[in-house]
């Protein structure tokens, strides 16, 4: 059972091999579906075994590759383990991966089909199989391996066995560091241990960061060393010359020569001067600064104003040595979803068969109306009253249609009385069927785990890997299409009071490349339907050509309208598959699933084959509300002179409307929407030159040098909105400088549809191009790159897990706490450290040069001016402690004044508290 090296990649791509191949645990040969699939078993019924094997507790360090392990509920996984069987009859188990990737949602993992009969230690004795595994690699979301065994018949022991294989994917793996949840036990075989496990291969720490003052301080210390050398050299030279002259007062105080000759005397005096003047080099300064920064970190952690009670989370410093950088931030780069917004998704609107449903008044809609000069408060009150009336009507209509025990009135987010009317057949059979088909698609096409909580009435909660998916399934539940859970036969639904079971044949999972997910379902009438949901651009490119032209146009208009209102949109489509078509495709799918090399690419290629010629059902629109205090925080940061850029994966229209609702954009701004249609660098350069000309600029090196020196915020006249494809062009080496200078002239910058790597590239461009202090804030794994790239990274403990928090320098519960972290604690820390360093240098200079000037009167023979006790205690008790207390406790103004007058922060942006000029002014002895 020890993993063997991976074989070479297949050369026949996805073609079926002509020779006879081993049968897989999922596939079957022949034209039609067999009565029952033969999944096989890893247990060899003919193998003689003593039956005395027992599991025993042991240390993690003793777990080896190939060992069988039994893991119980709430246990932490000790190694990377292939699941053979679980306490669940369907072979499912639930795992919490927050220690690994920061995600707090439970994820479902499945046992191998061939291993589910292995329940006890005595069963493990009778297993015979090998696992061919890929080499250890750090990707947390991908694994390729295969199990091989010979299937023997217990009825005919002498028969020749049948070679069988079963693929192993990441869904069959428990990774070290995760915790088993809601599952009594799991039995598995160890595949990787120690440094080969994925958690150890990802155990890189956050890049080491040093504050700007600390970097500049190194040069100041070097200057002090040079001054010390000159002082010691002068002392040694003068003392040697004086001794060589003779007939002077030194003869009466020095009884003989230590060195025996003037040159050696001068050399000895040089080192005596080093000892006497050593306090000029502030070695204890570094220790004092660490003490001060540690105390500042404790004060930040203890600030009750930054405590988020909802999740019991204070502001948590994770890097204690860069608190002063918080006081010099000029650019903040923020994610949108989960950072500016709550990442709590609410299903608001839908378009089905060309008919729009749903009533909502979103914050982005309010921002759009504000741009148009509408009285937002009056309009908002009117809209909310209408929605409340429609909500009451819809609840009444739902109860008339079907008394849904799983509907809780306070949880209903999809307010659409006309949808219920159409679902009951008020406008005809066609729309009724379309609505029913749409909700059935939402209830079947997902990877949600349902959890029934007993009660009267019962409550069903959904645990999903993304809040969007949970919102879709919850809305299907509210209108009568309730997901009850999984069963050995498939997925169980309660449809208008009638319980039905649907067989899930395949699930083609979502990833950032595919931007869609599909489920292939065998319906109760034995039809095979593929349901697909994903981004509108992806789904539209896969619709059947020449059909539904009017529906496509109408749906696209509705989705665009939803996006303008700040809603996140998805398209829903389906396709009916013939039995033969599905069986042929499934064989290809199983070949790809059994591959060890490039399995993900092959599976994606096979999925692409079936997800074509789709029929459009409609689209959904989900709202992600702004967090509390976001507009006020952004306005306050802007008053302080800080520029905020938003880097998001959302659509351009959604980002613009969110920008208006959170004070990033206003009606007086001219929006520069950057979209290069032909994706040519020359076109991008023309566009840049055109907009730069508006500001009388050409993008020259002289203009960049001038831009690096000015820290004034730009006039609120322009804002840039750019998408990911165009951003890729302008980040090219020959256009980057022009794009940077254009952005420097704009009040706000919104980058949409950007990847994690592009986020980091934008941060790097600004940080190095303008020589400014940057801060990145985000809440998800896709924000880690930009958090680590910025001078200061801030993670928000939100709905997307804690991976951003684990990679950040500071962790907060809400975006609004950023204003206090930066404007209060950041400003205090920067000013305190600047004053501490200046006072430290000053008191050392005064002390050392007093002794140096005294040497003039004693021919530089290094006579002590002070009692030796004073020399010992000067740095520690007499001077260091007062300065440390000042560095810890000093406040020029209170926290309330810091927030009331944010302009005080601009001294930090311009770096005026600690400069080289200030250093040399301290040395004016």
């Amino acid at each position: 059972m020890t993993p063997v090296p991976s074989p070479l990649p297949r050369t026949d791509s996805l073609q079926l091999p002509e020779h006879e191949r081993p049968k897989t645990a999922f596939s079957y040969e022949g034209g039609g579906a067999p009565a029952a699939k033969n999944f096989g078993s890893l247990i060899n019924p003919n193998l003689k075994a003593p039956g005395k094997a027992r599991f025993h507790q042991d240390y993690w360090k003793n777990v080896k590759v190939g060992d069988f392990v039994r893991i119980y509920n709430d246990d932490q996984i000790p190694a990377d383990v292939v699941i053979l069987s679980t306490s669940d009859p369907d072979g499912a188990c639930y795992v919490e991966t927050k220690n690994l990737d920061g995600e707090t949602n439970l994820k479902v993992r499945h046992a191998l089909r061939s291993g589910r009969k292995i329940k006890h230690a005595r069963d493990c004795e009778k297993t015979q199989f090998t696992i061919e595994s890929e080499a250890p690699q750090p990707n947390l979301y991908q694994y390729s391996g295969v199990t091989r065994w010979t299937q023997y018949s217990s009825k005919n022991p002498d028969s020749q066995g049948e070679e069988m294989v079963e693929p192993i994917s990441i869904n069959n793996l428990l990774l070290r560091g995760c915790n088993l949840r809601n599952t009594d036990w799991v039995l598995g075989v160890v595949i990787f241990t120690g440094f080969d496990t994925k958690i150890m291969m990802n155990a890189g720490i956050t890049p080491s960061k040093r504050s700007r003052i600390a970097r500049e301080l190194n040069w100041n210390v070097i200057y002090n060393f040079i001054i010390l050398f000159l002082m010691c050299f002068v002392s040694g030279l003068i003392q040697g010359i004086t001794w060589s002259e003779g007939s002077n007062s030194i003869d009466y105080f020095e009884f003989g020569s230590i060195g025996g000759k003037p040159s050696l005397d001068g050399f000895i005096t040089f080192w005596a001067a080093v000892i006497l003047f050593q306090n000029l080099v502030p070695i204890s300064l570094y220790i004092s600064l660490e003490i001060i920064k540690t105390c500042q970190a404790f004060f930040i952690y203890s600030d009750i104003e930054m405590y988020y009670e909802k999740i019991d989370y204070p502001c948590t410093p994770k890097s204690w040595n860069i608190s002063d950088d918080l006081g010099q931030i000029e650019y903040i780069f923020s994610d949108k979803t989960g950072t500016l917004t709550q990442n709590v998704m609410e299903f608001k609107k839908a378009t089905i068969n060309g008919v729009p449903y749903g009533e909502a008044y979103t914050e982005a809609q309010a921002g759009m109306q504000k741009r148009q000069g509408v009285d937002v408060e009056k309009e908002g009150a009117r809209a909310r009253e209408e929605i409340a009336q429609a909500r009451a009507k819809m609840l009444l209509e739902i109860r008339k249609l079907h008394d849904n025990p799983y509907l809780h009135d306070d949880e209903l987010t999809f307010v659409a009385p006309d949808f219920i009317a159409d679902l009951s057949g008020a406008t005809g059979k066609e729309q009724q069927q379309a609505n029913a088909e749409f909700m059935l698609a939402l209830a079947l096409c997902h990877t949600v785990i349902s959890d029934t909580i007993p009660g009267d009435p019962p409550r069903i909660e959904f645990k999903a890997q993304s809040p969007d998916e949970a919102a879709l399934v919850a809305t299907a539940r509210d209108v009568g299409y309730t997901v009850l859970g999984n069963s050995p036969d498939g997925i169980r639904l309660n449809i208008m009071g009638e319980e039905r079971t649907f067989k899930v044949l395949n699930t083609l999972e979502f990833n950032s490349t595919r931007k869609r997910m599909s489920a292939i379902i065998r319906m109760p009438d034995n039809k095979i339907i593929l349901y697909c949901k994903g981004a509108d651009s992806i789904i539209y490119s896969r619709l059947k050509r020449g059909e539904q032209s009017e529906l496509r146009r109408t749906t696209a208009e509705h989705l665009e309208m939803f996006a303008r209102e700040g809603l996140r949109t998805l398209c829903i489509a389906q396709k009916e598959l013939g039995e033969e078509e599905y069986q042929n495709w499934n064989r290809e799918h199983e070949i790809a699933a059994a591959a060890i090399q490039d399995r993900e690419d092959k599976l994606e290629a096979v999925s692409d084959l079936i997800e074509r010629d789709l029929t459009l059902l409609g689209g959904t629109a989900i709202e992600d509300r702004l967090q509390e205090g976001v507009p006020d925080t952004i306005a306050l940061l802007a008053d302080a002179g800080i520029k905020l850029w938003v880097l998001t994966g959302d659509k351009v229209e959604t980002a613009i409307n969110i920008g208006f609702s959170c004070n990033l954009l206003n009606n007086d701004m001219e929006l520069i929407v950057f979209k290069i249609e032909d994706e040519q660098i020359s076109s991008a350069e023309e566009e840049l030159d055109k907009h730069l000309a508006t500001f009388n600029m050409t993008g020259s090196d002289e203009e960049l040098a001038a831009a690096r020196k000015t820290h004034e915020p730009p006039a609120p006249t322009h804002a840039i909105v750019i998408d990911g494809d165009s951003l890729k062009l302008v980040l090219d080496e020959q256009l980057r400088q022009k794009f940077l200078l254009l952005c420097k002239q704009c009040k706000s910058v919104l980058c949409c549809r950007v990847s994690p790597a592009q986020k980091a590239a934008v941060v790097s461009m600004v940080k190095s191009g303008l020589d400014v202090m940057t801060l990145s804030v985000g809440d998800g794994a896709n924000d880690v790159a930009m958090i680590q790239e910025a001078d200061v990274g801030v993670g928000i403990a939100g709905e997307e897990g804690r991976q951003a928090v684990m990679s950040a320098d500071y962790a907060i519960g809400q975006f609004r706490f950023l204003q206090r972290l930066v404007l209060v604690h950041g400003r205090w820390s920067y000013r305190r450290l600047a004053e501490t360093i200046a006072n430290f240098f000053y008191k050392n200079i005064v002390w050392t040069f007093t002794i140096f000037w005294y040497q003039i009167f004693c021919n530089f023979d290094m006579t002590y001016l002070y009692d030796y006790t004073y020399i010992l205690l000067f740095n520690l008790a007499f001077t260091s402690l007062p300065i440390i207390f000042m560095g810890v406790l000093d406040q020029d103004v209170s926290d309330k004044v810091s927030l009331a007058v944010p302009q005080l922060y601009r001294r930090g942006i311009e770096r005026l508290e600690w400069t080289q000029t200030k250093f040399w002014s301290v040395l004016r002895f």
Side-chain angles (χ1 to χ4, degrees):
M1 285 169 286
T2 301
V4 299
S6 301
L8 293 173
R10 292 177 61 100
T11 57
D12 52 356
S13 183
L14 298 176
Q15 299 298 317
L16 282 168
E18 294 180 2
H19 57 79
E20 186 178 354
R21 62 181 178 84
K23 293 182 180 178
T24 70
F26 289 110
S27 62
Y28 40 81
E29 311 297 344
K37 294 182 184 180
N38 176 24
F39 294 111
S41 175
L42 301 179
I43 297 176
N44 182 354
N46 303 327
L47 185 66
K48 304 297 182 185
K52 296 181 179 179
R54 296 291 183 271
F55 286 106
H56 68 277
Q57 287 189 337
D58 209 338
Y59 294 106
W60 281 23
K61 65 179 181 180
N62 295 329
V63 174
K64 295 181 175 61
V65 173
D67 286 349
F68 290 96
V69 292
R70 188 188 288 275
I71 303 161
Y72 293 95
N73 191 36
D74 294 332
D75 282 354
Q76 198 169 51
I77 314 301
D80 290 354
V81 175
V82 175
I83 310 168
L84 297 180
S85 63
T86 74
S87 56
D88 185 83
D90 198 33
C93 66
Y94 303 103
V95 63
E96 183 182 70
T97 61
K98 69 179 181 182
N99 292 336
L100 197 65
D101 59 8
E103 301 293 339
T104 54
N105 296 314
L106 294 184
K107 298 176 177 61
V108 64
R109 296 289 182 261
H110 296 283
L112 297 180
R113 292 278 191 172
S114 54
R116 295 184 185 179
K117 294 181 181 178
I118 305 172
K119 303 289 186 184
H120 308 284
R122 60 179 178 269
D123 296 330
C124 298
E125 283 186 292
K126 301 186 71 175
T127 58
Q128 276 189 327
F129 63 96
T130 59
I131 293 178
E132 294 180 6
S133 171
E134 67 177 7
Q137 50 98 353
N139 191 330
L140 298 174
Y141 309 103
Q142 182 179 336
Y143 174 77
S144 298
V146 68
T147 313
R148 297 186 184 274
W149 75 98
T150 303
Q151 186 65 50
Y152 294 99
S153 171
S154 56
K155 297 179 181 178
N156 189 3
D158 298 327
S159 64
Q160 187 175 1
E162 180 183 8
E163 296 296 323
M164 297 193 74
V165 299
E166 180 174 355
I168 306 171
S169 72
I170 194 67
N171 291 323
N172 307 118
L173 219 60
L174 294 178
L175 300 181
R176 175 178 172 175
C178 302
N179 290 82
L180 191 66
R181 301 291 189 214
N182 298 350
T183 308
D184 292 337
W185 55 265
V186 164
L187 194 154
V189 61
V190 176
I191 197 76
F192 295 124
T193 61
F195 290 101
D196 289 341
T197 58
K198 290 184 180 290
I199 191 172
M200 294 300 290
M201 298 188 79
N202 281 277
I205 59 173
T206 302
S208 178
K209 295 180 181 179
R210 297 189 65 212
S211 68
R212 191 181 193 103
I213 284 184
R215 296 195 298 269
E216 293 176 352
L217 195 59
N218 289 343
W219 287 104
N220 300 144
V221 172
I222 291 173
Y223 300 150
N224 275 24
F225 265 112
I226 295 172
I227 295 171
L228 175 63
F229 173 80
L230 293 175
M231 291 169 63
C232 294
F233 180 78
V234 168
S235 298
L237 184 65
I238 294 177
Q239 197 275 343
I241 293 173
T242 305
W243 180 259
S244 65
E245 289 177 349
S247 301
N248 50 42
S249 62
I250 200 170
D251 294 336
Y252 301 104
F253 294 96
E254 297 288 344
F255 301 97
S257 170
I258 298 174
K261 56 182 180 179
S263 59
L264 193 54
D265 264 12
F267 179 75
I268 293 170
T269 301
F270 174 88
W271 292 107
V274 169
I275 296 171
L276 190 60
F277 301 149
Q278 63 179 317
N279 283 338
L280 183 65
V281 178
I283 303 302
S284 58
L285 171 62
Y286 288 96
I287 300 171
S288 301
L289 291 182
E290 289 303 314
I291 294 172
I292 292 170
K293 289 179 179 180
T294 300
C295 293
Q296 289 172 349
F298 175 75
F299 290 150
I300 291 173
Y301 178 78
S302 304
D303 190 346
I304 196 69
E305 298 293 333
M306 292 193 292
Y307 173 71
Y308 190 37
E309 187 176 2
K310 182 179 177 182
I311 60 173
D312 186 27
Y313 203 84
C315 178
T316 307
K318 295 177 176 290
S319 298
W320 292 12
N321 62 337
I322 59 172
S323 57
D324 49 299
D325 279 353
L326 284 170
Q328 306 169 69
I329 301 300
E330 185 171 352
Y331 283 85
I332 291 179
F333 300 90
S334 173
D335 179 38
K336 184 186 79 68
T337 305
T339 303
L340 300 178
T341 61
Q342 298 176 19
N343 202 20
V344 176
M345 307 299 178
E346 294 182 350
F347 190 112
K348 292 295 185 182
K349 295 190 176 186
T351 172
I352 305 171
N353 195 31
V355 180
Y357 296 105
E359 297 184 24
Y361 188 73
T362 65
E363 287 166 323
Q365 192 174 353
M368 184 169 56
Q369 291 178 344
K370 185 178 180 182
R371 178 174 36 162
Q372 296 167 349
V374 176
D375 186 340
V376 175
E377 290 188 10
K378 186 184 294 185
E379 180 65 22
R382 185 194 62 77
R384 281 187 284 272
E385 185 179 349
E386 288 182 359
I387 291 169
Q389 294 173 358
R391 179 192 182 87
K393 181 181 178 183
M394 180 173 178
L395 288 169
L396 188 64
E397 295 294 329
I398 289 177
R399 298 297 184 196
K400 283 183 183 178
L401 182 63
H402 163 56
D403 190 10
N404 186 356
Y406 304 105
L407 169 64
H408 294 267
D409 294 2
D410 57 329
E411 296 179 0
L412 180 68
T413 62
F414 180 46
V415 180
D418 49 344
F419 171 83
I420 300 300
D422 289 350
L423 188 61
S424 62
T427 55
K429 279 283 185 184
E430 181 185 353
Q431 192 63 31
Q432 180 186 25
Q433 186 177 352
N435 286 6
E437 198 67 50
F438 185 85
M439 286 300 163
L440 185 62
L442 297 186
L444 291 174
C445 185
H446 59 80
T447 57
V448 169
I449 302 166
S450 65
D451 186 14
T452 304
I453 301 173
D456 189 21
R459 180 181 292 271
I460 290 187
E461 292 184 352
F462 300 112
K463 296 174 181 176
Q465 296 188 31
S466 81
D468 300 70
E469 199 167 46
L472 296 174
V473 178
T475 296
R477 173 201 63 194
D478 292 343
V479 298
Y481 290 74
T482 306
V483 179
L484 299 178
N486 295 325
S487 70
D489 297 325
I491 185 170
R492 293 185 298 115
L493 299 187
N494 182 301
I495 301 177
M496 299 295 178
E498 179 185 346
E499 192 167 318
R500 299 183 196 171
T501 299
F502 298 81
K503 182 68 176 176
V504 181
L505 300 178
N506 303 86
T507 300
L508 311 179
E509 295 188 354
F510 175 90
N511 63 41
S512 57
T513 306
R514 283 167 41 78
K515 294 184 180 178
R516 64 188 184 279
M517 79 151 290
S518 299
I520 301 177
I521 309 292
R522 187 178 291 278
M523 311 299 282
D525 59 3
N526 214 35
K527 286 184 179 178
I528 299 176
I529 305 291
L530 178 144
Y531 293 106
C532 184
K533 66 182 181 186
D536 50 3
S537 57
I538 299 296
I539 299 298
Y540 265 63
S541 66
R542 298 181 170 276
L543 296 177
K544 195 168 186 179
R545 295 185 181 277
E547 295 185 6
Q548 298 181 298
S549 57
E550 183 63 26
L551 177 60
R552 290 191 205 187
R553 185 186 61 77
T554 307
T555 303
E557 288 175 357
H558 292 161
L559 291 176
E560 187 178 347
M561 179 179 66
F562 296 159
R564 284 200 301 269
E565 295 173 7
L567 301 174
R568 298 157 62 95
T569 58
L570 280 177
C571 270
I572 313 294
Q574 71 173 29
K575 175 184 179 181
E576 184 173 343
L577 304 175
E579 187 70 44
E580 185 178 355
E581 178 187 7
Y582 169 72
Q583 300 305 341
N584 291 336
W585 174 85
N586 192 49
R587 281 194 289 271
E588 297 280 357
H589 184 264
E590 292 307 330
I591 294 173
I596 295 178
Q597 293 288 335
D598 302 322
R599 178 185 294 175
E600 299 299 321
D601 294 338
K602 292 178 180 178
L603 282 173
E604 189 169 327
V606 174
S607 300
D608 180 70
L609 295 176
I610 199 74
E611 294 170 326
R612 295 183 179 182
D613 297 331
L614 303 176
T615 300
L616 182 64
L617 294 179
T620 64
I622 295 175
E623 182 185 16
D624 188 8
R625 300 180 65 83
L626 284 177
Q627 290 183 14
E628 179 187 346
V630 166
D632 295 338
T633 300
I634 291 175
L636 200 63
L637 293 173
D639 289 341
I642 297 173
K643 297 88 175 174
L644 180 69
W645 292 21
V646 175
L647 313 177
T648 178
D650 278 341
K651 286 180 169 182
V652 170
E653 297 84 359
T654 306
I656 289 175
N657 288 321
I658 289 293
F660 275 98
S661 62
C662 64
N663 287 344
L664 270 176
L665 307 175
N666 60 50
N667 294 332
D668 298 327
M669 287 184 180
E670 180 183 337
L671 283 187
I672 301 174
V673 180
F674 227 94
K675 187 167 180 64
I676 312 302
E677 297 291 348
D678 59 4
E679 298 187 4
Q680 297 294 320
I681 290 182
S682 57
S683 302
E685 187 169 15
E686 282 180 28
E687 194 76 10
L688 283 171
D689 289 338
K690 181 180 76 174
H691 292 300
L692 280 170
T694 306
F695 302 98
N696 297 318
M697 300 177 70
T698 60
S700 64
D701 293 341
E702 293 76 16
E703 290 171 343
L704 180 62
R708 290 167 69 99
K709 292 178 182 178
T710 178
H711 300 282
E712 286 297 318
T717 56
H718 291 78
I720 286 182
V721 181
I722 185 170
D723 65 1
D725 293 334
S726 302
L727 186 63
K728 183 168 64 175
L729 296 174
V730 298
L731 286 178
D732 186 84
E733 194 65 40
Q734 61 184 8
L735 299 185
R736 185 180 306 174
Q737 182 169 308
K738 290 185 177 182
F739 178 63
L740 178 60
L741 287 169
L742 178 61
C743 291
K744 182 80 166 66
Q745 305 304 313
C746 296
K747 181 71 174 177
S748 300
V749 177
L750 279 74
C751 301
C752 311
R753 296 290 197 192
V754 291
S755 67
Q758 285 179 319
K759 290 182 179 183
V762 170
V763 175
S764 176
M765 174 188 72
V766 175
K767 183 175 73 170
S768 57
L770 296 178
D771 188 30
V772 293
M773 299 298 292
T774 58
L775 181 149
S776 291
V777 54
D779 74 316
N782 61 331
D783 302 316
V784 170
M786 74 169 182
I787 283 173
Q788 294 184 341
E789 180 63 39
D791 294 292
V792 180
V794 177
I796 291 183
E799 299 292 327
E800 288 192 24
R802 301 292 170 90
Q803 190 161 344
V805 164
M806 291 188 291
S807 304
D809 304 304
Y810 292 88
I812 56 179
Q814 291 273 278
F815 181 83
R816 68 178 185 272
F817 299 142
L818 195 62
Q819 61 178 331
R820 188 170 181 87
L821 179 65
V822 172
L823 301 183
V824 176
H825 291 283
R827 182 180 169 278
W828 280 348
S829 296
Y830 173 53
R831 188 178 178 281
R832 286 167 177 169
L833 282 177
E835 292 300 318
T836 297
I837 294 170
N839 279 274
F840 223 102
F841 278 123
Y842 178 75
K843 59 100 174 173
N844 281 11
I845 288 290
V846 169
W847 167 263
T848 304
F849 271 88
T850 304
I851 301 174
F852 181 75
W853 299 135
Y854 176 68
Q855 300 307 312
I856 296 174
F857 302 98
C858 50
N859 293 325
F860 288 89
D861 62 355
M862 297 302 109
T863 301
Y864 288 162
L865 173 61
Y866 307 108
D867 185 87
Y868 195 69
T869 306
Y870 293 149
I871 296 175
L872 289 176
L873 297 178
F874 176 80
N875 251 341
L876 177 62
F878 298 157
T879 58
S880 290
L881 288 179
I883 292 176
I884 288 174
F885 278 116
M886 182 194 72
V888 171
L889 302 173
D890 182 48
Q891 294 180 12
D892 59 334
V893 294
S894 68
D895 55 341
K896 293 181 180 178
V897 174
S898 295
L899 293 174
V901 190
Q903 290 80 5
L904 291 171
Y905 189 82
R906 296 193 180 183
R907 283 185 62 83
I909 293 176
E910 296 173 11
R911 296 176 227 143
L912 298 177
E913 297 292 352
W914 178 249
T915 62
Q916 293 304 305
T917 304
K918 188 172 184 177
F919 168 73
W920 290 110
S921 67
V922 167
L923 297 187
R924 288 185 305 176
F925 35 79

